[in-house]
C-alpha cells in the first residue's frame, strides 16, 4: 500500500509539473514540431543531397553505398550533418527540461524565454567535450520519438523482410532481444544526463557519469515508474477520446432534425476535439520528461545532493509586441473558426463528399508464388497465386550445370530440398529428382523445381504476368540471352519483366534485346535513380519507397514496385503512396487492402467515426 501511495504521489507530481506552464510548453512543442516537419527535416535531407553532390553521387544503391561511405569527404560531412541534427534535437530537450524546472520552482515562463534558453543550451552540442551527446541523441532518442532525431532517421527503420527473417530465426531473435535490453539499460543509466547537462551546465560526459551514480540501484524501479506514467497518460487519453466521441454521437442525434444547431454544435465540437488532440500530442514528449524530472528531483533529495535550478533569461514586457501577438492570435482563430464553420456547413449539408469510388492502378505480385501457403517457387505456389487473385507472379531463376534455366531462389538446394549442392553443380535431370515441397509440409512431398519455360507456359495459359528475377552465380553461360529467348519464343514479351539486383545484368539484357522490359531491384534506393537508364522500372525495398522517390520515378514515366510488404499497415501505406506494384507473401491481405482503398480514405473513415 505504501509503495502504491508513493507511485501515485509521483503521478500527481508529474501532473503538476505539466500543468503549471502548460500553455507556453504546448505552444513551443507545436511550433517545434511544425518547424521540424515543414523546414528542418527537409533541410536535413537537402544537406544530405548536397553531401552526395559534393562527393559526386547522384543516387545511392546497395551497389555503390560502400564506395560512397569510403570517400574521404563523406564521413566528415556526415558528421557535421549529424551534429546539426543533434543541435536541433537538443532545442526540444532543453526547452522541455527548462520549462519543467521552472514549474518545479513555481515560476511562470513565456515562449520567448523558453526559446532563448533552449537555443543557447543547444549550441553547446558543438563543444568537443559534448560529442557523446550526439551519439545519445541519434542512437537512443529515436526510440523515444524525440523531435528531428526520429524524423530524420525514420527512413532508416528496419526493412520488413529483415524483421521477418529475424523473427523466424531463434538465434537472431535472441540476439535482438539482448541488444534491446542492453540499449534499454544504457538509456536508463543515462536517464538523468540531460537534466545535469541542461540545469547544471556540466559537460555531457560528466552529466552521464553523475546520472549513472544518481540512479544506481534504482534503475528497475525507475523504469517501472516511467512505464506507469506512460500507462496512466495513455489511459487518460483513451478515456478522453471515448467521452469526446460519445458526446459527438449524442449531439448528432439530439440535433439531427435541426440543421443550424447540428451544424454549429458539430463544428465547434470537432474543433474542440482536434484542439485537444493537438494539445495531447504536444505533451507526448513533456510527459516522458516530466516523469524523469520527478525521479531526478526525488533521487537528489534522497542522496542529499543539492538541486541546481535553471535561471530564466531576462524578459521585459514590450506592450506593442504583446498587442501585435494578441491581434495576430485573434486573427488566426477567426480564420480557423470561419473555415471550420464553412467546412462544417458543407459536410452537414452533404455538399462536400469525401468518399469517392475510384480504381487505383496498384497491382499485386505473389512473392515466389503464393509462398505463404505453398512451397516457394514451385508450380503449386504459382497455381495458388492465380487462385488467390494475384496479378503477377515473382520468381527467381538460375542456371543448372547443363545450361537449363531453373526456378529457385537460393544458390544452394539445402534449404528447400535438404540436398547440400549448388545450382551449378547438378544437371536438370538430377535437379528434377529433388523434393522441393516436403520442407514446407508433408502434403507437398514430391513437388519439383520447375523450369522457367514451364512457368512461362503456365502464365500464358492463365493470363498471368511474370516478374522474373535473374540471380547470376558467376557460373552461367549466355544466362540473360537464354531467359530472353524463352520469353520471346512463348510470345510473352508484353507480359513479363526481367529484374535483377545487379545492374550489369540489366545492361546485358538491353544489349541483347532493347525491347524487353527491365526492372532494377534495390535494397537501398536514394537520389536520382532515373539516371540508371538500363532500368525501365524500379523495384525497391519498402523502407526506401519515399514519396519523393515515387514522384521522381513517376515523373520520368517509369513504374515503382515495392517488396516484400506483408502487414496491413505497410500495404495501406504503399497504396496511399500510389506505388504501381506491391510484392507480397500475403496475397489475400493485399487484395483486401486494395479493395478497401478503392472506396474509402482516411479522412472519410474519421468522419464516419465522428
Amino acid at each position: 500500500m505504501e509503495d502504491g501511495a508513493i507511485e501515485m504521489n509521483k503521478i500527481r507530481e508529474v501532473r503538476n509539473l505539466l500543468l503549471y506552464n502548460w500553455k507556453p510548453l504546448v505552444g513551443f512543442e507545436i511550433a517545434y514540431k511544425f518547424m521540424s516537419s515543414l523546414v528542418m527535416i527537409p533541410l536535413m535531407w537537402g544537406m544530405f543531397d548536397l553531401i552526395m553532390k559534393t562527393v559526386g553521387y547522384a543516387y545511392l544503391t546497395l551497389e555503390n553505398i560502400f564506395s560512397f561511405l569510403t570517400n574521404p569527404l563523406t564521413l566528415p560531412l556526415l558528421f557535421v550533418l549529424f551534429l546539426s541534427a543533434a543541435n536541433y534535437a537538443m532545442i526540444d530537450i532543453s526547452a522541455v527540461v527548462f520549462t519543467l524546472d521552472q514549474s518545479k520552482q513555481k515560476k511562470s515562463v513565456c515562449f520567448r524565454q523558453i526559446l532563448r534558453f533552449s537555443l543557447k543550451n543547444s549550441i553547446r552540442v558543438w563543444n568537443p567535450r559534448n560529442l557523446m551527446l550526439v551519439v545519445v541523441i541519434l542512437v537512443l532518442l529515436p526510440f523515444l520519438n524525440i523531435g528531428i532525431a526520429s524524423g530524420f532517421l525514420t527512413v532508416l527503420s528496419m526493412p520488413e523482410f529483415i524483421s521477418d527473417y529475424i523473427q523466424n530465426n531463434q538465434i537472431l531473435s535472441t540476439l535482438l532481444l539482448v541488444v534491446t535490453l542492453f540499449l534499454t539499460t544504457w538509456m536508463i543509466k543515462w536517464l538523468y544526463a540531460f537534466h545535469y547537462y541542461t540545469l547544471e551546465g556540466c559537460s555531457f560526459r560528466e552529466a552521464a557519469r553523475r546520472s549513472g551514480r544518481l540512479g544506481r540501484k534504482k534503475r528497475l524501479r525507475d523504469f517501472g515508474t516511467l512505464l506507469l506514467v506512460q500507462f496512466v497518460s495513455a489511459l487518460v487519453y483513451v478515456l478522453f477520446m471515448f467521452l469526446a466521441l460519445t458526446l459527438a454521437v449524442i449531439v448528432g442525434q439530439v440535433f439531427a432534425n435541426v440543421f443550424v444547431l447540428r451544424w454549429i454544435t458539430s463544428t465547434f465540437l470537432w474543433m474542440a476535439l482536434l484542439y485537444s488532440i493537438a494539445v495531447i500530442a504536444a505533451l507526448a514528449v513533456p510527459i516522458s520528461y516530466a516523469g524523469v524530472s520527478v525521479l531526478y528531483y526525488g533521487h537528489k533529495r534522497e542522496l542529499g545532493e543539492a538541486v541546481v535550478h535553471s535561471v530564466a533569461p531576462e524578459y521585459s514586457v514590450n506592450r506593442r509586441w504583446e498587442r501585435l501577438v494578441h491581434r495576430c492570435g485573434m486573427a488566426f482563430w477567426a480564420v480557423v473558426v470561419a473555415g471550420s464553420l464553412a467546412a462544417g456547413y458543407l459536410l452537414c449539408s452533404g455538399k462536400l463528399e469525401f468518399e469517392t469510388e475510384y480504381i487505383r492502378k496498384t497491382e499485386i505480385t505473389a512473392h515466389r508464388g503464393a509462398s505463404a501457403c505453398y512451397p516457394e517457387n514451385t508450380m503449386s505456389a504459382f497455381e495458388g497465386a492465380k487462385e488467390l487473385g494475384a496479378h503477377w507472379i515473382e520468381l527467381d531463376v538460375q542456371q543448372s550445370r547443363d545450361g537449363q534455366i531453373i526456378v529457385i531462389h537460393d544458390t544452394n538446394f539445402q534449404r528447400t530440398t535438404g540436398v547440400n549442392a549448388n545450382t551449378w553443380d547438378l544437371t536438370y535431370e538430377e535437379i528434377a529428382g529433388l523434393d522441393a515441397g516436403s520442407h514446407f509440409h508433408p502434403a507437398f512431398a514430391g513437388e519439383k523445381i520447375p523450369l522457367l519455360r514451364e512457368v512461362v507456359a503456365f502464365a500464358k495459359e492463365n493470363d498471368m504476368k511474370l516478374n522474373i528475377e535473374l540471380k547470376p552465380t558467376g557460373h552461367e553461360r549466355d544466362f540473360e540471352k537464354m531467359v530472353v529467348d524463352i520469353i520471346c519464343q512463348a510470345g510473352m514479351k508484353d507480359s513479363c519483366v526481367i529484374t535483377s539486383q545487379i545492374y550489369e545484368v540489366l545492361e546485358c539484357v538491353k544489349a541483347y534485346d532493347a525491347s524487353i522490359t527491365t526492372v532494377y531491384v534495390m535494397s537501398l534506393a536514394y537520389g536520382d535513380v532515373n539516371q540508371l537508364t538500363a532500368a525501365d522500372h524500379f523495384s525497391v525495398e519498402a523502407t526506401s519507397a519515399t514519396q519523393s522517390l515515387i514522384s521522381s520515378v513517376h515523373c520520368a514515366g517509369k513504374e515503382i514496385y515495392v517488396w516484400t510488404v506483408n502487414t496491413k499497415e505497410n500495404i495501406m501505406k504503399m497504396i496511399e503512396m500510389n506505388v504501381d506494384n506491391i510484392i507480397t507473401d500475403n496475397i489475400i491481405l493485399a487484395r483486401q487492402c486494395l479493395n478497401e482503398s478503392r472506396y474509402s480514405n482516411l479522412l472519410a473513415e474519421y468522419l464516419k467515426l465522428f
Side-chain angles (χ1 to χ4, degrees):
M1 289 295 291
E2 185 179 345
D3 288 345
I6 292 172
E7 294 303 318
M8 290 311 299
N9 187 53
K10 290 176 181 177
I11 295 294
R12 283 191 289 271
E13 288 185 58
V14 168
R15 179 199 62 192
N16 294 336
L17 288 182
L18 290 169
L19 293 181
Y20 196 88
N21 280 301
W22 77 271
K23 286 184 180 179
L25 185 57
V26 167
F28 185 90
E29 285 297 297
I30 290 175
Y32 179 84
K33 287 174 172 59
F34 180 80
M35 283 292 294
S36 296
S37 301
L38 198 65
V39 179
M40 294 308 300
I41 292 176
L43 179 62
M44 291 297 169
W45 283 116
M47 291 172 64
F48 184 73
D49 290 339
L50 183 61
I51 291 173
M52 286 176 54
K53 186 176 181 180
T54 302
V55 179
Y57 287 77
Y59 58 85
L60 291 178
T61 68
L62 211 57
E63 291 190 89
N64 70 357
I65 186 69
F66 182 74
S67 61
F68 168 72
L69 291 175
T70 53
N71 187 290
L73 283 175
T74 300
L75 291 183
L77 291 174
L78 284 178
F79 182 69
V80 173
L81 176 60
F82 289 148
L83 271 175
S84 302
N87 190 167
Y88 187 72
M90 196 63 209
I91 293 175
D92 190 23
I93 299 168
S94 302
V96 173
V97 171
F98 164 74
T99 306
L100 294 172
D101 187 63
Q102 292 297 302
S103 296
K104 179 69 174 177
Q105 301 176 66
K106 303 296 182 184
K107 293 181 179 179
S108 298
V109 289
C110 67
F111 183 94
R112 287 168 62 185
Q113 288 175 299
I114 296 174
L115 182 61
R116 285 178 61 186
F117 182 92
S118 59
L119 287 174
K120 183 178 179 180
N121 193 58
S122 68
I123 294 174
R124 294 171 56 211
V125 169
W126 296 86
N127 188 317
R129 295 188 306 162
N130 297 323
L131 292 182
M132 188 189 300
L133 179 62
V134 180
V135 177
V136 176
I137 289 177
L138 297 180
V139 176
L140 293 182
L141 292 186
F143 294 100
L144 297 176
N145 197 29
I146 303 296
I148 196 173
S150 59
F152 181 61
L153 296 177
T154 296
V155 74
L156 302 181
S157 57
M158 184 182 293
E160 191 175 322
F161 78 98
I162 294 179
S163 62
D164 288 344
Y165 181 75
I166 291 175
Q167 288 174 9
N168 294 326
N169 187 302
Q170 190 172 1
I171 295 176
L172 290 177
S173 297
T174 304
L175 180 62
L176 181 62
L177 178 62
V178 171
V179 171
T180 302
L181 290 174
F182 172 75
L183 287 175
T184 303
T185 304
W186 192 22
M187 196 155 46
I188 294 173
K189 182 180 178 181
W190 288 1
L191 202 57
Y192 310 108
F194 289 107
H195 285 72
Y196 278 111
Y197 176 82
T198 300
L199 302 179
E200 300 194 12
C202 58
S203 69
F204 192 77
R205 185 181 296 276
E206 175 65 15
R209 186 185 67 80
R210 292 190 189 180
S211 174
R213 185 181 61 190
L214 186 68
R216 189 176 297 137
K217 297 181 180 179
K218 306 181 186 76
R219 288 169 191 161
L220 187 60
R221 183 165 183 172
D222 287 355
F223 185 63
T225 298
L226 293 178
L227 286 179
L228 179 62
V229 169
Q230 294 293 338
F231 173 77
V232 172
S233 303
L235 184 62
V236 170
Y237 172 74
V238 169
L239 289 174
F240 172 81
M241 289 298 297
F242 174 77
L243 293 173
L245 293 174
T246 301
L247 181 60
V249 172
I250 292 173
V251 169
Q253 291 177 345
V254 170
F255 299 116
N257 298 321
V258 185
F259 175 77
V260 175
L261 291 176
R262 179 163 58 91
W263 160 40
I264 295 175
T265 54
S266 297
T267 298
F268 280 101
L269 188 62
W270 291 344
M271 283 180 59
L273 183 58
L274 292 174
Y275 177 75
S276 300
I277 291 173
V279 170
I280 292 170
L283 287 174
V285 172
I287 285 172
S288 297
Y289 274 90
V292 176
S293 295
V294 167
L295 294 172
Y296 169 76
Y297 297 127
H299 291 340
K300 272 185 162 277
R301 186 170 58 249
E302 291 169 8
L303 294 176
E305 188 176 315
V307 176
V308 180
H309 289 294
S310 57
V311 178
E314 293 293 329
Y315 172 67
S316 57
V317 178
N318 186 321
R319 297 298 180 189
R320 293 180 62 184
W321 171 257
E322 295 288 344
R323 284 195 296 271
L324 177 62
V325 171
H326 179 71
R327 288 171 183 171
C328 289
M330 293 294 289
F332 169 78
W333 282 111
V335 171
V336 169
V337 170
S340 299
L341 285 170
Y345 173 79
L346 293 173
L347 284 169
C348 290
S349 62
K351 295 180 179 179
L352 184 62
E353 180 58 62
F354 287 101
E355 191 169 339
T356 57
E357 294 188 7
Y358 60 96
I359 302 298
R360 295 180 183 273
K361 64 176 182 178
T362 305
E363 294 183 302
I364 299 169
T365 294
H367 182 233
R368 304 180 195 172
S371 53
C373 307
Y374 303 88
E376 65 178 58
N377 279 322
T378 63
M379 293 308 298
S380 291
F382 303 144
E383 290 164 3
K386 176 184 178 299
E387 292 172 4
L388 293 175
H391 306 108
W392 290 72
I393 293 172
E394 187 270 347
L395 60 144
D396 309 280
V397 297
Q398 298 183 48
Q399 195 174 55
S400 63
R401 193 177 76 187
D402 55 348
Q404 295 292 318
I405 307 300
I406 58 174
V407 180
I408 187 171
H409 176 270
D410 299 2
T411 56
N412 191 285
F413 297 105
Q414 180 70 50
R415 181 175 65 89
T416 55
T417 70
V419 175
N420 186 16
N422 297 316
T423 53
W424 60 86
D425 292 330
L426 305 181
T427 64
Y428 183 67
E429 184 178 356
E430 295 170 313
I431 294 169
L434 301 179
D435 179 358
S438 293
H439 78 282
F440 186 85
H441 192 278
F444 296 99
E447 190 75 42
K448 292 182 171 51
I449 294 174
L451 290 167
L452 174 60
R453 54 183 169 80
E454 294 178 279
V455 183
V456 171
F458 165 80
K460 183 174 183 178
E461 182 180 344
N462 292 277
D463 197 25
M464 296 287 292
K465 297 179 180 179
L466 298 180
N467 176 330
I468 305 168
E469 181 175 350
L470 275 63
K471 303 184 80 68
T473 61
H475 298 269
E476 296 82 12
R477 300 178 303 279
D478 297 326
F479 186 34
E480 297 86 356
K481 177 180 179 297
M482 292 185 68
V483 172
V484 171
D485 287 344
I486 290 170
I487 293 170
C488 293
Q489 289 166 10
M492 287 285 285
K493 185 183 290 188
D494 295 333
S495 299
C496 295
V497 296
I498 290 182
T499 74
S500 181
Q501 295 188 50
I502 301 173
Y503 185 67
E504 218 175 291
V505 169
L506 303 185
E507 290 179 316
C508 291
V509 170
K510 285 295 188 183
Y512 180 65
D513 188 340
S515 65
I516 289 288
T517 302
T518 55
V519 181
Y520 188 24
V521 181
M522 296 178 284
S523 299
L524 169 69
Y526 184 80
D528 186 12
V529 296
N530 294 311
Q531 293 192 21
L532 297 162
T533 54
D536 296 310
H537 307 307
F538 298 98
S539 180
V540 302
E541 200 283 318
T543 52
S544 290
T546 62
Q547 196 62 67
S548 59
L549 177 68
I550 294 168
S551 298
S552 172
V553 169
H554 284 170
C555 285
K558 299 183 177 185
E559 294 181 359
I560 192 156
Y561 306 4
V562 291
W563 54 273
T564 304
V565 194
N566 292 324
T567 65
K568 182 171 184 178
E569 179 186 3
N570 286 338
I571 293 172
M572 293 300 290
K573 179 182 177 183
M574 293 301 109
I575 293 172
E576 291 300 323
M577 292 173 74
N578 203 31
V579 302
D580 300 280
N581 201 306
I582 292 174
I583 301 172
T584 181
D585 296 315
N586 198 331
I587 303 166
I588 296 174
L589 177 62
R591 283 182 58 84
Q592 289 172 348
C593 291
L594 196 58
N595 289 333
E596 284 180 26
S597 70
R598 287 174 176 174
Y599 304 112
S600 64
N601 57 46
L602 188 60
L603 183 55
E605 292 302 318
Y606 274 116
L607 291 173
K608 289 176 185 175
L609 181 62
F610 287 142

